[in-house]
C-alpha cells in the first residue's frame, strides 16, 4: 500500500482550464475598449458573481491603477484576450490584445477564489500583482523593461499555475506568506515559460533582484509542492531560478543560466535533464532552428502534460517532444507517413501513400519517432473499416486525425464543436482499435472518432506517457452544416491496464478535450500496476452539445493507484459516474469534476447509480482534495436516478460500501436521490457513543449542529458537538433545504474549522464553534439549511485518519434579527 503522504501524485497542470463547477450566477462581459474594460472590472468586483471578461483584440490603455478585490470564495474572475467582436471566437495569440500601463499604472488583483489570465500582452505595467486561492496565467506576454518592474503571484492555501508565458524584463516572483510546516498545502506549477532580461534595481530590493524567477516561502515550506518544467530562464542580471525555503521541487528539462536553492533542499525524485547551455533565442525570443538545444527537448512526463498552444497561439508540440520555453518552433524530428486511402488493405508503397494498417506497420518497422497524417479524398467524415486486429504501437508514434483536410479542433469552453474527419469502425468479432502494448511504446492519438469496437476502442497495456486528446468515442458526432452522425457504441472506450504508466486522457485546453460516450461496459478503465494516469477535462456520457445524454454503463472505473480525475463532466451513466473498486484503488484524487447535473433545472443527465462509489475495500482516496491536501471540490448532483428515488438507502452522491481513509472535502453534493454521503450503502448511519464501530470509513461519527449564534455585522457562528477519539477537520455546508432522510444537502461550503478540532485524551464529547461569516445570501444562494461533516486526522497512524463522516442532520438558521428583535440582519431564513 502506498502512503498518500509519500505519493508523488500531483495536481494536474491547467486547473482553471476546461469544465469548472457550475455557477448559476456567472456573468460574461464582452469588452471592446478601455472604458468598457474599466466598467467590467468595477462590475465584476461588486456583482457577487463569477465573471468572465473577454477582450476583443486591440489595445487597452490604462488611465489609472487597477485594483480588483473580492473576499467571496465563490466569486472567480477570468480575464482573456483575442476574442472576435462578438466574443464568440477565441484566438490564443497574446500579441493581438494589449493592456498598456504606459509605465504609470499598476494592476493589483486580490481574491479568495480563482483568478485567471489568458492570451493578453501586459505592457509597461510596473507592478502586476495577483493574490488568490488559485491563480493561473497562460499564454500571456509581460513586456516593458524597467528596473522596478515586478510580476508577483501569491497564494496561501491553493495553487498557482504559469503556463507558456513570456516574462521579458520582469522580476517574476511566486510567493506565499504562510510557509510554516502546519500551513495549508500549496501547489505551484511553472511549465514552458520564458524568463529573460530581468534587471535588479540599484537598491537591491528583495523582489527586484534580477532573477528570472524567484520562488519564496517563509519557514520550512515542506507543505509546498512545485513542478518546474520546460522553462527557459536566460539573460537575467542575477541568475535564472532562485528558491528560498525548503519546498518539494520537481525540476525537469529546464534551460537556465543558473539554479539556486538558498536552503539547499534536495530536488524531488524525477528531477533532471536541466541544462545551463545557451538556449539560442532570436530577438523575438523564439528558439533558433536549427541549433537551439531547446528544440524538441522538453518533456510531457508530469501530470496534465502541456497546453495545446504556445505563447504565439500556435500548436504547442511539433515533433516527438515539446520545445522548452514559451514558443514552439516549426522544427519536427518526426518522420511523416501519410494515409491516403480508407481501404483496410495494409498497403504502403511509399510514405506519402499508405493505408492506415500499412502506416502502422511501417511506423513499427522504422524504429524512430513517426507521425501518421491523413489526406484521404472525399468529404468528411471518411470511415476506415477495421477488419482485423491492427498492428500494435511499439515505439514513439503520433496519429494525427486533425491533419485530414476539413478537420478542426474544439473551440468551445462548454460543449464541443470539433469536426472529426477520420472514423475508425470495428468490423469484426471482438474487435479492437488502437493498441499500445510495448514497454518502449509512446502513443499520441488525436482527432479520431471510434465506433463499433466490441473489445476496446483504445487499449494501452504497457509503455509510458501516452496521450489521448481531442477524440470522440460513440455518441453523436458533429458534421458540417450542423448535421450529426450517430456513432455506433463501443463496448470499452479506453482501457488502460497492466504496466501502462502516466497515460494522459484529455488536457488542460478545450481543444484537448475528448468526448467519451455510450460505452456498453465503461467509458474509461484504469487498472494494473502502472498507474499515475490523469483523466483531465473530458466530456464523459454527454454528446458534444454538453447537454443530451449518451451515457456509459460506468463512466470511469478505477482499479489502480495514484491517478488524478480532474475537471471532467461525468454524466448519464447507467450505474456510477466514477467507481473506485478493489484495494488496488488507492491514492486516487478526484477534484473539480461535475458528476451528474451541471445544475438543477437542466436536462436529466444524472448518473443512474451513485455519483462516486467506493467499493471492495478501496482506500486512501481523496474526493475534493489533492494528495497534498489542497481543497478543490467537485459538484456531485442529481445522481441515483435509476434507484428507488428519494428512499434513504438509494444511491446518492458518494457511496462508500467498504474501505477506509477516504477523505471527502470541499464538495458541493446536493439533490441526489439517496443521501449525499452514505457510509455502508445502507442509508443514514447513527452516531455511536464512543465512535468505536468499524466499517466504511470506520463509520466516522458526524458532528451534531446545535444552534446559531449571531454577532455584529451579520457574522454567524455555528455551535456543534462531536464524540471523537482523535482530532477532526470540521466542514460546514449550506443549502436551501435538507436532503434525503433529513440529512444535509451540501449546496455550498460555508465554513471550515480554522484549526483541527482536538478530542480529549481517550476520546469524549467535544462542543465547538465554527465561524460562518456573513448571512446565507438571497435568491438562489439562500443557503439556510446547515449541515456538517467531520474528517479524522491522525498523522501517527494514517490508516486511522482521513475518514470522512456522512453529512449530519440539518439545522435551519431561521433567525430574522441579529440581536433579539431590534436590528435586522439584512436577510432572513424565516419561512
Amino acid at each position: 500500500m502506498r502512503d498518500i503522504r509519500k505519493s508523488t501524485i500531483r495536481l494536474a497542470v491547467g486547473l482553471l482550464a476546461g469544465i469548472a463547477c457550475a455557477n448559476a450566477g456567472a456573468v460574461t462581459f464582452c469588452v471592446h475598449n478601455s472604458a468598457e474594460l474599466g466598467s467590467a472590472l468595477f462590475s465584476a468586483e461588486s456583482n457577487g458573481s463569477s465573471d468572465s471578461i473577454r477582450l476583443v483584440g486591440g489595445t487597452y490603455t490604462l488611465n489609472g491603477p487597477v485594483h480588483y478585490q473580492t473576499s467571496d470564495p465563490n466569486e472567480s474572475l477570468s480575464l482573456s484576450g483575442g476574442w472576435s467582436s462578438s466574443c464568440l471566437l477565441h484566438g490564443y495569440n497574446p500579441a493581438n490584445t494589449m493592456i498598456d500601463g504606459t509605465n504609470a499604472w499598476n494592476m493589483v488583483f486580490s481574491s479568495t477564489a480563482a483568478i485567471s489570465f489568458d492570451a493578453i500582452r501586459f505592457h509597461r505595467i510596473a507592478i502586476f500583482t495577483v493574490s488568490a486561492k488559485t491563480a493561473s496565467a497562460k499564454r500571456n506576454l509581460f513586456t516593458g523593461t524597467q528596473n522596478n518592474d515586478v510580476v508577483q503571484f501569491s497564494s496561501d492555501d491553493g495553487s498557482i499555475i504559469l503556463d507558456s508565458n513570456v516574462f521579458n524584463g520582469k522580476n517574476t516572483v511566486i510567493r506565499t506568506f504562510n510557509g510554516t510546516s502546519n500551513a495549508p498545502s500549496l501547489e505551484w506549477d511553472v511549465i514552458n515559460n520564458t524568463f529573460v532580461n530581468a534587471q535588479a534595481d540599484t537598491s537591491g530590493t528583495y523582489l527586484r533582484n534580477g532573477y528570472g524567477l524567484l520562488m519564496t516561502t517563509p519557514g520550512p515550506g515542506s507543505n509546498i509542492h512545485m513542478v518546474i518544467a520546460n522553462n527557459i530562464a536566460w539573460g537575467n542580471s542575477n541568475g535564472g531560478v532562485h528558491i528560498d525555503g525548503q519546498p518539494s521541487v520537481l525540476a525537469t528539462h529546464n534551460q537556465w543560466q543558473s539554479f539556486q536553492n538558498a536552503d539547499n533542499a534536495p530536488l524531488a525524485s524525477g528531477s533532471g535533464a536541466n541544462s545551463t547551455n545557451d538556449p539560442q533565442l532570436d530577438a523575438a525570443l523564439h528558439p533558433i532552428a536549427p541549433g537551439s538545444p531547446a528544440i524538441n527537448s522538453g518533456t510531457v512526463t508530469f501530470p496534465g502534460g502541456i497546453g495545446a498552444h504556445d505563447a504565439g497561439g500556435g500548436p504547442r508540440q511539433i515533433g516527438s517532444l515539446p520545445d522548452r520555453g514559451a514558443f514552439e518552433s516549426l522544427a519536427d524530428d518526426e518522420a511523416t507517413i501519410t494515409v491516403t486511402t480508407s481501404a483496410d488493405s495494409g498497403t504502403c508503397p511509399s510514405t506519402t501513400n499508405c493505408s492506415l494498417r500499412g502506416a502502422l506497420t511501417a511506423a513499427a518497422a522504422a524504429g524512430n519517432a513517426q507521425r501518421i497524417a491523413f489526406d484521404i479524398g472525399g468529404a468528411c467524415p471518411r470511415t476506415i473499416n477495421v477488419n482485423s486486429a491492427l498492428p500494435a504501437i511499439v515505439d514513439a508514434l503520433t496519429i494525427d486525425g486533425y491533419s485530414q483536410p476539413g478537420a478542426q479542433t474544439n473551440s468551445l469552453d462548454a460543449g464541443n464543436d470539433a469536426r472529426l474527419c477520420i472514423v475508425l469502425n470495428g468490423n469484426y468479432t471482438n474487435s479492437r482499435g488502437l493498441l499500445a502494448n510495448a514497454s518502449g511504446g509512446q502513443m499520441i492519438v488525436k482527432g479520431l472518432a471510434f465506433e463499433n469496437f466490441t473489445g476496446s476502442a483504445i487499449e494501452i497495456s504497457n509503455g509510458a506517457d501516452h496521450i489521448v486528446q481531442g477524440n470522440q468515442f460513440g455518441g453523436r458526432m458533429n458534421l458540417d452544416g450542423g448535421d450529426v452522425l450517430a456513432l455506433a457504441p463501443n463496448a470499452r472506450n479506453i482501457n488502460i491496464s497492466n504496466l501502462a504508466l502516466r497515460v494522459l486522457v484529455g488536457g488542460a485546453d478545450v481543444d484537448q478535450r475528448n468526448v467519451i460516450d455510450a460505452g456498453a461496459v465503461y467509458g474509461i478503465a484504469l487498472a494494473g500496476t502502472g498507474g499515475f494516469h490523469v483523466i483531465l477535462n473530458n466530456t464523459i456520457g454527454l454528446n458534444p452539445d454538453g447537454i443530451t445524454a449518451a451515457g456509459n454503463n460506468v463512466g470511469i472505473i478505477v482499479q489502480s493507484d495514484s491517478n488524478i480525475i480532474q475537471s471532467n463532466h461525468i454524466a448519464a451513466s447507467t450505474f456510477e459516474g466514477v467507481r473506485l473498486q478493489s484495494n488496488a484503488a488507492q491514492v486516487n484524487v478526484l477534484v473539480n469534476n461535475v458528476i451528474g447535473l451541471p445544475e438543477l433545472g437542466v436536462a436529466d443527465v444524472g448518473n443512474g447509480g451513485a455519483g462516486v462509489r467506493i467499493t471492495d475495500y478501496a482506500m486512501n482516496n481523496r474526493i475534493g482534495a489533492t494528495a497534498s491536501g489542497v481543497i478543490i471540490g467537485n459538484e456531485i448532483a442529481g445522481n441515483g436516478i435509476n434507484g428507488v428515488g428519494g428512499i434513504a438507502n438509494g444511491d446518492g452522491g458518494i457511496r462508500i460500501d467498504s474501505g477506509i481513509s477516504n477523505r471527502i472535502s470541499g464538495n458541493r453534493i446536493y439533490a441526489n436521490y439517496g443521501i449525499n454521503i452514505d457510509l455502508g450503502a445502507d442509508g443514514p448511519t447513527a452516531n455511536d457513543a464512543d465512535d468505536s464501530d468499524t466499517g466504511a470509513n470506520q463509520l466516522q461519527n458526524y458532528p451534531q449542529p446545535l444552534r446559531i449564534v449571531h454577532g455584529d455585522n451579520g457574522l454567524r457562528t455555528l455551535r456543534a458537538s462531536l464524540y471523537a477519539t482523535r482530532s477532526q477537520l470540521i466542514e460546514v455546508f449550506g443549502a436551501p433545504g435538507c436532503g434525503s432522510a433529513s440529512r444535509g444537502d451540501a449546496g455550498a461550503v460555508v465554513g471550515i474549522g480554522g484549526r483541527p478540532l482536538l478530542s480529549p485524551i481517550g476520546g469524549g464529547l467535544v462542543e465547538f464553534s465554527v465561524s460562518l461569516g456573513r448571512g446565507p445570501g438571497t435568491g438562489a444562494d439562500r443557503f439556510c439549511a446547515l449541515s456538517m461533516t467531520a474528517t479524522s486526522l491522525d498523522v501517527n497512524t494514517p490508516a486511522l485518519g482521513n475518514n470522512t463522516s456522512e453529512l449530519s442532520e440539518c439545522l435551519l438558521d431561521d433567525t430574522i434579527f441579529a440581536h433579539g428583535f431590534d436590528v435586522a440582519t439584512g436577510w432572513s431564513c424565516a419561512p
Side-chain angles (χ1 to χ4, degrees):
M1 180 182 73
R2 298 189 189 182
D3 187 334
I4 195 165
R5 296 172 303 162
K6 298 178 181 177
S7 170
T8 59
I9 191 171
R10 297 190 45 79
L11 177 69
V13 172
L15 170 68
L16 297 180
I19 299 173
C21 291
N23 186 323
V27 176
T28 298
F29 298 88
C30 187
V31 171
H32 299 79
N33 55 54
S34 302
E36 289 182 0
L37 173 59
S39 177
L41 285 167
F42 177 81
S43 296
E45 186 178 45
S46 58
N47 63 11
S49 301
S50 288
D51 299 283
S52 174
I53 298 177
R54 299 179 175 182
L55 304 182
V56 174
T59 298
Y60 298 79
T61 303
L62 298 184
N63 296 312
V66 171
H67 294 282
Y68 169 92
Q69 182 174 3
T70 176
S71 59
D72 186 340
N74 300 304
E75 187 176 338
S76 62
L77 173 69
S78 169
L79 186 65
S80 57
W83 290 91
S84 64
S85 60
S86 62
C87 287
L88 296 178
L89 300 177
H90 187 202
Y92 293 99
N93 187 351
N96 295 334
T97 308
M98 182 169 70
I99 297 178
D100 189 351
T102 65
N103 291 329
W105 306 114
N106 303 327
M107 300 187 77
V108 177
F109 298 85
S110 178
S111 174
T112 55
I115 298 180
S116 66
F117 306 91
D118 189 5
I120 299 172
R121 181 184 180 190
F122 295 97
H123 185 55
R124 297 193 296 178
I125 297 170
I127 298 177
F128 183 95
T129 300
V130 181
S131 176
K133 178 178 176 62
T134 299
S136 171
K138 301 177 66 175
R139 297 172 290 252
N140 301 285
L141 305 179
F142 294 87
T143 59
T145 56
Q146 297 187 103
N147 285 350
N148 63 345
D149 281 2
V150 173
V151 177
Q152 177 178 286
F153 296 88
S154 65
S155 177
D156 286 341
D157 64 348
S159 63
I160 295 173
I161 300 142
L162 304 184
D163 181 2
S164 298
N165 303 282
V166 172
F167 300 89
N168 187 358
K170 303 294 179 180
N171 290 281
T172 306
V173 180
I174 300 178
R175 71 186 310 186
T176 177
F177 299 94
N178 191 354
T180 61
S181 58
N182 63 352
S185 294
L186 299 171
E187 305 272 1
W188 295 353
D189 295 318
V190 182
I191 311 297
N192 273 112
N193 301 280
T194 296
F195 304 92
V196 295
N197 300 322
Q199 303 296 312
D201 68 6
T202 56
S203 67
T205 304
Y206 179 65
L207 298 182
R208 298 165 180 161
N209 48 31
Y211 295 117
L213 175 64
L214 169 65
M215 307 175 84
T216 178
T217 69
S222 59
N223 58 309
I224 298 172
H225 304 265
M226 304 179 188
V227 171
I228 309 173
N230 295 350
N231 300 285
I232 292 175
W234 200 261
N236 303 289
S237 68
N238 203 21
V241 175
H242 183 95
I243 295 176
D244 284 337
Q246 295 181 333
S248 171
V249 181
L250 172 64
T252 180
H253 291 75
N254 299 285
Q255 203 91 24
W256 47 35
Q257 65 196 84
S258 64
F259 175 78
Q260 299 168 298
N261 188 325
D263 293 281
N264 297 315
L267 294 177
S269 174
S271 297
N274 301 296
S275 172
T276 56
N277 293 328
D278 186 342
Q280 299 183 32
L281 305 180
D282 64 20
L285 304 180
H286 295 74
I288 297 172
S292 169
I295 294 174
N296 298 142
S297 64
T299 181
V300 295
T301 308
F302 49 83
I306 58 174
H309 305 280
D310 71 355
R316 162 46 71 188
Q317 183 170 340
I318 299 174
S320 61
L321 291 169
D323 294 353
R324 306 183 194 204
F327 293 107
E328 187 81 8
S329 73
L330 298 178
D332 189 349
D333 61 345
E334 295 176 309
T336 298
I337 305 172
T338 304
V339 174
T340 57
T341 176
S342 59
D344 189 25
S345 61
T347 60
C348 189
S350 72
T351 58
T352 60
N353 183 21
C354 278
S355 66
L356 175 60
R357 185 179 298 276
L360 289 168
T361 301
N368 62 335
Q370 302 283 311
R371 173 177 176 264
I372 294 177
F374 294 85
D375 189 10
I376 302 174
C380 287
R382 306 297 291 162
T383 298
I384 299 175
N385 290 315
V386 178
N387 299 318
S388 62
L390 291 169
I393 294 161
V394 297
D395 49 19
L397 176 65
T398 298
I399 304 174
D400 185 5
Y402 287 117
S403 60
Q404 172 69 23
Q408 69 178 44
T409 61
N410 173 50
S411 65
L412 300 179
D413 290 331
N416 197 309
D417 63 355
R419 297 291 186 271
L420 305 182
C421 291
I422 300 296
V423 179
L424 302 189
N425 174 58
N427 198 40
Y428 67 100
T429 302
N430 198 25
S431 54
R432 184 195 65 223
L434 299 175
L435 170 66
N437 64 355
S439 60
Q442 182 195 19
M443 174 179 66
I444 300 174
V445 56
K446 51 189 177 181
L448 300 180
F450 297 83
E451 67 170 347
N452 203 39
F453 287 97
T454 54
S456 301
I458 289 182
E459 183 174 330
I460 302 172
S461 60
N462 210 332
D465 303 312
H466 305 280
I467 298 174
V468 180
Q469 292 178 333
N471 305 284
Q472 181 165 342
F473 304 81
R476 295 203 304 265
M477 188 176 75
N478 296 320
L479 298 176
D480 289 335
D483 294 331
V484 296
L485 172 68
L487 297 172
N490 304 297
R492 301 165 183 84
N493 286 320
I494 302 174
N495 182 16
I496 302 170
S497 63
N498 295 343
L499 301 177
L501 182 66
R502 294 189 306 269
V503 178
L504 171 61
V505 178
D509 288 333
V510 298
D511 39 5
Q512 297 172 321
R513 179 183 301 153
N514 299 286
V515 175
I516 302 170
D517 288 345
V521 181
Y522 50 69
I524 302 172
L526 308 177
T529 59
F532 295 90
H533 311 305
V534 177
I535 312 301
L536 176 62
N537 189 24
N538 301 284
T539 298
I540 302 173
L542 297 175
N543 282 302
D545 61 14
I547 298 174
T548 56
N552 302 280
N553 193 46
V554 176
I556 302 174
I557 183 168
V558 181
Q559 295 172 302
S560 65
D561 72 313
S562 302
N563 304 295
I564 300 173
I565 299 171
Q566 177 183 333
S567 299
N568 305 281
H569 190 174
I570 308 165
S573 304
T574 304
F575 294 100
E576 299 87 16
V578 180
R579 181 192 297 168
L580 304 177
Q581 183 174 8
S582 84
N583 60 9
Q586 299 189 34
V587 202
N588 296 289
V589 166
L590 278 70
V591 290
N592 201 49
N593 301 283
V594 174
I595 303 176
L597 300 176
E599 58 189 77
L600 295 179
V602 177
D604 193 3
V605 294
N607 295 288
V612 178
R613 181 183 178 189
I614 301 175
T615 188
D616 292 342
Y617 301 98
M619 60 188 298
N620 268 351
N621 298 290
R622 302 290 178 265
I623 314 299
T626 69
S628 58
V630 177
I631 295 177
I632 308 166
N634 304 279
E635 183 170 15
I636 304 171
N639 300 291
I641 61 176
N642 289 344
V644 183
I647 301 300
N649 63 351
D651 278 330
I654 298 175
R655 165 182 166 177
I656 304 181
D657 300 359
S658 58
I660 62 173
S661 297
N662 294 295
R663 177 177 172 180
I664 304 168
S665 286
N667 304 284
R668 298 179 62 197
I669 317 172
Y670 61 95
N672 297 288
Y673 282 80
I675 61 174
N676 290 305
I677 301 176
D678 190 346
L679 303 186
D682 56 359
T685 300
N687 284 338
D688 58 318
D690 57 2
D691 201 20
S692 61
D693 47 1
T694 60
N697 265 13
Q698 302 282 44
L699 297 184
Q700 165 69 46
N701 278 353
Y702 59 81
Q704 183 65 51
L706 300 175
R707 60 188 180 277
I708 294 287
V709 178
H710 289 270
D712 295 333
N713 300 318
L715 299 180
R716 299 183 298 165
T717 299
L718 174 63
R719 297 290 294 170
S721 65
L722 174 68
Y723 191 103
T725 58
R726 55 186 56 86
S727 300
Q728 305 284 329
L729 172 71
I730 304 298
E731 298 181 63
V732 184
F733 303 89
C738 290
S740 176
S742 298
R743 290 295 186 89
D745 254 9
V749 179
V750 295
I752 296 179
R755 294 184 177 181
L757 169 67
L758 301 178
S759 63
I761 296 176
L765 186 67
V766 183
E767 188 167 319
F768 59 94
S769 300
V770 179
S771 174
L772 305 183
R774 294 186 61 80
T778 59
D781 296 324
R782 194 165 176 263
F783 297 126
C784 300
L786 302 177
S787 59
M788 314 173 73
T789 61
T791 300
S792 61
L793 305 174
D794 196 321
V795 296
N796 296 318
T797 310
L800 300 178
N802 286 306
N803 291 291
T804 299
S805 70
E806 295 180 348
L807 279 156
S808 71
E809 299 162 352
C810 282
L811 175 68
L812 182 64
D813 180 5
D814 58 0
T815 305
I816 302 176
F817 299 103
H819 303 288
F821 294 94
D822 53 350
V823 181
T825 62
W827 49 265
S828 172
C829 281

